[in-house]
Amino acid sequence: LLLLLQSSSGSSGSSSSARDTRGAAVGVVEIVGASARDNHLELSGVLKDGSVYSESCKFNRLFEGGVDTTVGDSNLGTRWKDGWWVKASTQNKEYHLTRGEGRKVEYKRVCIGDFKIEGTEEGNCIDLVVD
């Protein structure tokens, strides 16, 4: 069994109007776990508007037996049918969402309490509905 974790991060959430083009934004991505075959991602940092990532901004644990949903937030890293990705959770109890094409990136926030999964589709693409 081969496990492959693919993760990417970038500065698309930075403030291009700031003098240093970063502003208040800083992001940290850590791979945390028992081994290279048993781990999960943890995010920390600050978004360009000053919102702080939540302490529970952790992805599900990946291990040789599959995915352990008792560790982390199963919504992180998922994509809505309309292209919105759930990127992070904040201390304000919101999900930070992005979608984009090329260099055009859009952002929005959704209150975590208003969030539910309707169903799944092939490729881990899910339809998330806001009540």
Side-chain angles (χ1 to χ4, degrees):
L1 174 65
L2 174 65
L3 294 176
L4 176 64
L5 171 65
Q6 179 179 341
S7 175
S8 63
S9 60
S11 59
S12 65
S14 296
S15 178
S16 58
S17 63
R19 204 168 86 174
D20 65 357
T21 68
R22 174 173 300 224
V26 61
V28 178
V29 179
E30 295 179 86
I31 301 173
V32 178
S35 71
R37 295 178 175 264
D38 186 349
N39 55 63
H40 65 277
L41 292 178
E42 292 186 8
L43 306 181
S44 59
V46 179
L47 298 169
K48 69 180 177 182
D49 67 357
S51 298
V52 177
Y53 287 71
S54 72
E55 289 184 22
S56 60
C57 195
K58 301 173 184 176
F59 286 67
N60 291 145
R61 175 180 158 239
L62 303 177
F63 67 111
E64 291 189 65
V67 177
D68 178 1
T69 58
T70 65
V71 174
D73 183 337
S74 295
N75 289 322
L76 294 175
T78 57
R79 184 173 64 92
W80 298 16
K81 284 183 181 175
D82 62 359
W84 289 100
W85 284 93
V86 181
K87 296 290 191 116
S89 57
T90 68
Q91 287 182 351
N92 299 335
K93 296 185 177 19
E94 296 174 318
Y95 283 124
H96 176 66
L97 309 174
T98 65
R99 73 174 173 187
E101 189 170 324
R103 293 196 167 273
K104 182 181 180 239
V105 180
E106 299 174 88
Y107 305 94
K108 75 176 178 178
R109 307 271 175 110
V110 176
C111 179
I112 290 174
D114 295 339
F115 210 71
K116 69 178 181 184
I117 297 175
E118 278 289 310
T120 59
E121 271 189 5
E122 193 173 312
N124 198 30
C125 182
I126 60 175
D127 184 17
L128 299 170
V129 176
V130 177
D131 291 332

